[in-house]
Amino acid sequence: MTTQQRFVQNLAAGMLAGEWTAAGIRESVYRATGRRFAWGPALAKRLLNAHATAPTFPTLLATLTADAGFQRGLTVLASARNADNRFPVWHLFSAPAPPPLPRPQWAAELPDLPNEPALAEWLGVSLERLLWLADTKSRNTGHRPGSVRTYRARWVPKTHGRARLLEVPIPALMRAQRKILAELLNLVPAHPAVHGFRPGHSAITNAAQHCGRACVIRFDLTDFFPSIPVGRIFRMFLTLGYSEPVARLFGCLCTTRLPAEDWNRRPNPRNDSSEYQTQTRLASRHVPQGAPTSPALANLTAYRLDCRLAGLASACGATYSRYADDLTFSGDDTLRRSAARLARRVALIVVEEGFALNRGKTRVQGRGERQLVTGVVVNVRPNIPREDFDQLKAILTNCVRHNPATQNRTNHPDFRAHLAGRIAHVASVNPTRGRKLWATFDRIVWDTNSAQS
């Protein structure tokens, strides 16, 4: 931006900050520049003739740009010998924020939060406390790890591949995020193809869409949460009808950036191009894996991605669904023959929407092999993989024959609840197998040490 452009923008912002009268405009010109120009009174009259009431900031800029008398005044200023007389700025004004977008009809139940103090009151904290939790200046990352930071970073090892990063908000921030999730984000509908992190949907409902198909093609998005920058969150809240300051504060409350020392603590660093891309995403404000708002925000910001992929599937005569970062297409033999072409189009759409595919996890599964979708076998009907059932059955049988503590090889703090959860998952997919496992589970003799060892 040139000095002249800054001068004009500051002048326009100053005019809108004062009274929209001839005297008010002349006074605003003086406050913005510290000078009373000969062309000021005539300009004020022309502006009032053009706009009976104060126009928007962009409209006023366009009017000033088209005003011949004002442009001649700028030419005189530009030719001043003394640099201090060229486009003087005495008081700096901020451009007024544009009015919020009209709220969609379905968004009538969303909380009405016209400004930052209203948001603070809704969340039950002071405005000063809210600004600190939001870390709008990203200063928290400059502090040493401890009570000053709003997030705690933890690396969780995985059986295969890189460790998973969890960025967990402090309790005060987590309470605010849970309120945002329960009373705002959960009221915003996601795309019908989404089955992850939605009430009434699960990995099982996701897999059920693809049962009995000749071909199932799976794709995986890499760095799903970190790929969503704060700008997309900000724009999403704008579309919900919130003003720029409130949308910006919402974006800061729901995103963070990873300090360099936390990145350097990652296990088994590879220092390749893939890790460099991940580091770049994490070093800027992103949606953290570990915050309660992140899954819902990921679903909502990926709405365009889901629309385009669902449209692609419809054009191919296929079915599309997404569970978190897992994309699944299924169809007849025609889909299998065009799998390579579909993969290229999916990769292009994913990149255009700001995400990236993990190409090593793309799978094309025909009818003659086991078709697995989000951990569920879908060749005929939803089912549990045979080896998973056999392994759990063996553990339960050994718990009956021996002390259950001998089977807790991964040291779960509540082994009984862990086994019950695994059985409940099997029963939700295959009730017959679930009943068999529950019968064995009921024969286990538990004592205090074995149940919690």
Side-chain angles (χ1 to χ4, degrees), residues 140-149 151-152 259 261-262 265:
N140 286 344
T141 54
H143 295 293
R144 295 180 180 179
S147 59
V148 177
R149 287 190 182 169
Y151 280 86
R152 306 287 183 262
E261 60 266 27
D262 287 331
R265 287 192 295 105

Side-chain angles (χ1 to χ4, degrees), residues 1 5-7 9-11 13-14 17 28 30-34 88-95:
M1 184 184 297
Q5 289 172 330
R6 281 195 294 269
F7 172 80
Q9 290 196 9
N10 187 60
L11 190 63
S28 296
Y30 174 71
R31 289 183 60 203
T33 64
V89 173
W90 186 32
H91 183 85
L92 190 62
F93 289 91
S94 299

Side-chain angles (χ1 to χ4, degrees), residues 27-101:
E27 184 62 24
S28 296
V29 171
Y30 174 71
R31 289 183 60 203
T33 64
R35 294 175 59 182
R36 298 192 185 277
F37 298 101
W39 43 260
L43 175 64
K45 291 181 180 180
R46 292 195 299 272
L47 290 177
L48 288 173
N49 289 333
H51 307 286
T53 58
T56 63
F57 183 69
T59 302
L60 181 55
L61 283 179
T63 303
L64 292 174
T65 302
D67 189 273
F70 179 67
Q71 293 301 317
R72 286 194 297 270
L74 292 180
T75 303
V76 173
L77 287 175
S79 62
R81 293 185 178 182
N82 188 348
D84 293 336
N85 292 331
R86 298 180 201 145
F87 312 116
V89 173
W90 186 32
H91 183 85
L92 190 62
F93 289 91
S94 299
L101 297 173

Side-chain angles (χ1 to χ4, degrees), residues 102-160:
R103 178 167 288 185
Q105 268 191 338
W106 54 262
E109 296 182 2
L110 298 183
D112 187 19
L113 305 170
N115 49 42
E116 294 173 328
L119 175 57
E121 182 180 358
W122 181 66
L123 293 174
V125 297
S126 66
L127 181 57
E128 182 181 8
R129 177 69 167 171
L130 178 61
L131 294 175
W132 182 83
L133 289 174
D135 190 20
T136 55
K137 304 297 182 183
S138 298
R139 291 172 180 165
N140 286 344
T141 54
H143 295 293
R144 295 180 180 179
S147 59
V148 177
R149 287 190 182 169
T150 53
Y151 280 86
R152 306 287 183 262
R154 180 162 58 95
W155 294 94
V156 180
K158 294 195 294 187
T159 306
H160 303 289

Side-chain angles (χ1 to χ4, degrees), residues 345-356:
R345 292 183 177 179
V346 169
L348 180 61
I349 291 174
V350 166
V351 170
E352 288 177 348
E353 293 302 321
F355 298 96

